[in-house]
Every structure is written in C-alpha cells, then in structure tokens.
Amino acid sequence: MMDAGADYLHLDVMDGHFVPNLTFGHPVVKCLRPKLPDVFFDMHMMVAKPEQWIEEMQAAGASQYTFHYEATEDPKTCIRKIKEAGMKAGIGIKPKTPVEVLDPFIDLVDMVLIMTVEPGFGGQKFMGDMMPKIAYLREHFGQIDIEVDGGVGPATIQQCADAGANMIVSGSALINSENPRETIRYMRTVVEEAIQRSQLER
C-alpha cells in the first residue's frame, strides 16, 4: 500500500468486546514498525476501555491513537493520556451516535473519525447518510482533520470529499483493485479538488 502511494496506514484493532470481531494487538504493530520505520501508523482502536492500551501501543510504535467515544466513560482523560504518551489523538463515533457529542472534544484532538459502516467487519456497504455529520464538523470546526472509514472507494469518494472529509480510509476497494496506485491517485485527486473548491467558496 505504501509503495502504491498511500499517505499512512490505518490499522484496525478489535478486541471481540467493543466489536464482535477480533484482529491483532500491539505485538503485531511492534513487528511492523521496524519494517516500515517512517510510516504513519493510525491505530483505529475498536476496543472497550481504550485507556488500557495507550502505553503498549505507544511503545509498539503507534503514531496516532484513535479511540471510540462510545468505548470510554471519560473521553477527555483518554485524550490527555494519549497526548502525554507522545501520540496524536483521534476520536471516532459509530453511525448511530449523534455527531454533536464530539463538540466538547474537537479542540483537544488532532482528528475526528466518522464511521460510514458499523465497525467490526470489512467489506460493508457505504452509509451515505453519514455525510451530514462530516459537513457539520467541517462547517463548525474549520480546519480539523476529518477521517472517513467504511465502504470508501472510487464509487463513494466524491460524496466524502464534497462533505468535507480529508483523511480517507479505504480497505476492500484498494485490496481488491487491479491497480491500487491508480485507485489511490484518483481518490486523492477527488479530495484535493474538493478542498480547493471549498477554499475558493470561502
């Protein structure tokens, strides 16, 4: 993926509790880091009690620690601990969670993640009705990085870009592409053009 032009790697960590699926933890990240020493690792922590894995992920080489608002009783403390560990902090929400719950935390984080599928499994259908959440964040919080994850590919990238997303997670669409480099180039171009249009409209 990096050779094909990806800007960063989005690594899905699932614990079998917050989501039904189970993937990998910090030992795999630790193995990956020496092989990809300069790559930005965006850890998508689909785990219950995300506070408990912050130190291990930092030690393993994580660059950004993105946790779910729904998974912790104290998002503000979780953000503080991530920053104290020297990582960037991201906060995400599931499709059924209202976007406004994130308002108190926007100024504290580096990125906001809007899920466009129910987290837990790859290859799901894109939920276009999540686009107003992205538009809300872009309208009210200007320059915040907005990541979109779930069913994103060439067929859905325009919707994401027009709504204001600027960090794109694409799994199945890239893995199944005959030409991942071209797919990444196309999606990047769509996002860059949408950003340029929005700047001209201001």
Side-chain angles (χ1 to χ4, degrees), residues 60 64 73 78 88:
Q64 179 165 280
E73 295 179 0
C78 191
K88 288 192 171 186

Side-chain angles (χ1 to χ4, degrees), residues 141-161:
F141 300 102
Q143 298 304 306
I144 186 74
D145 282 330
I146 304 172
E147 185 174 67
V148 62
D149 178 13
V152 181
T156 53
I157 187 63
Q158 191 71 60
Q159 294 178 62
C160 299

